[in-house]
Amino acid sequence: MLVAQHQEIKTMLERLKTAERDTKQAVFEDLVRLLAVHESAEEIVVHPTSRRVVGSDSPIVADRLTEENEAKHVLAELYGLGATHPDFDTRFAEFAASVTEHAEREEADEFPRLRERMSPDDLMRMAGALRAAEAAAPTRPHPRVGESAPVNLLAGPPLGVFDRVRDGVRDWLGIRV
């Protein structure tokens, strides 16, 4: 599930690089939603599970959380700029490279360890927990909230509701910010 989402994210990153000016903001907003939901679910479910299964002393999870926190800040900055800002493309190219590298590290370091140490049934339950976390996750980066599972569990659902209402109103009115 997560590897498929990583592929979807990589595809959207490439699509945004070549998007025409009139569709670029819409493509970017779709990417923002996907990244925000994906990373929030990982922070709530995957990384805490990795700490338990792989070991809390492993730097794998800490490194991924640091990368995700940095990405939230950059994504929020890019969102504030807007996809048509003159500096967007340069800053986005750096961001896209770091997101791709982050996904590859998860796939090479973290996910294999989970697969090795968890039963197929446990992995299926984790996938269900991921889907539940994604359903309540915010659709925008909220870098001031933090990246820990407890913070995401407490702040995520209210922010998710707020973000989804805002998204719905904007979509209904045809507003692009």
Side-chain angles (χ1 to χ4, degrees):
M1 178 178 158
L2 295 171
V3 172
Q5 286 179 354
H6 284 173
Q7 188 54 51
E8 184 180 358
I9 289 165
K10 291 173 187 176
T11 299
M12 290 182 79
L13 291 169
E14 289 303 314
R15 197 169 130 218
L16 186 58
K17 289 178 186 176
T18 60
E20 298 294 325
R21 183 175 173 82
D22 59 335
T23 61
K24 195 172 198 172
Q25 186 66 32
V27 173
F28 178 61
E29 287 180 13
D30 289 343
L31 175 64
V32 168
R33 284 183 190 121
L34 178 58
L35 283 170
V37 168
H38 174 83
E39 293 303 335
S40 181
E42 282 186 342
E43 290 168 6
I44 292 170
V45 178
V46 177
H47 302 317
T49 302
S50 287
R51 278 202 170 114
R52 260 193 339 271
V53 173
V54 176
S56 59
D57 58 339
S58 172
I60 292 170
V61 175
D63 292 348
R64 298 305 73 81
L65 287 170
T66 298
E67 293 163 2
E68 288 171 7
N69 192 42
E70 290 169 3
K72 278 185 197 176
H73 286 277
V74 174
L75 190 59
E77 290 172 18
L78 287 168
Y79 189 78
L81 281 179
T84 58
H85 189 279
D87 294 337
F88 181 87
D89 289 338
T90 302
R91 294 174 82 180
F92 179 78
E94 294 169 10
F95 173 76
S98 70
V99 167
T100 300
E101 187 176 318
H102 168 78
E104 289 169 357
R105 284 185 181 143
E106 284 181 336
E107 291 174 21
D109 298 335
E110 189 172 12
F111 298 170
R113 285 176 174 82
L114 289 170
R115 279 193 227 77
E116 290 168 2
R117 294 179 171 117
M118 294 177 71
S119 72
D121 287 342
D122 287 340
L123 290 169
M124 291 301 291
R125 281 192 288 279
M126 185 168 76
L130 276 165
R131 283 190 284 280
E134 287 178 346
T139 62
R140 296 284 178 272
H142 296 278
R144 290 183 184 93
V145 173
E147 71 276 351
S148 73
V151 168
N152 274 292
L153 283 168
L154 291 173
L159 289 170
V161 169
F162 175 79
D163 286 350
R164 289 167 202 278
V165 168
R166 180 179 61 188
D167 293 345
V169 170
R170 286 183 177 168
D171 289 349
W172 182 66
L173 294 174
I175 298 171
R176 293 288 178 197
V177 178

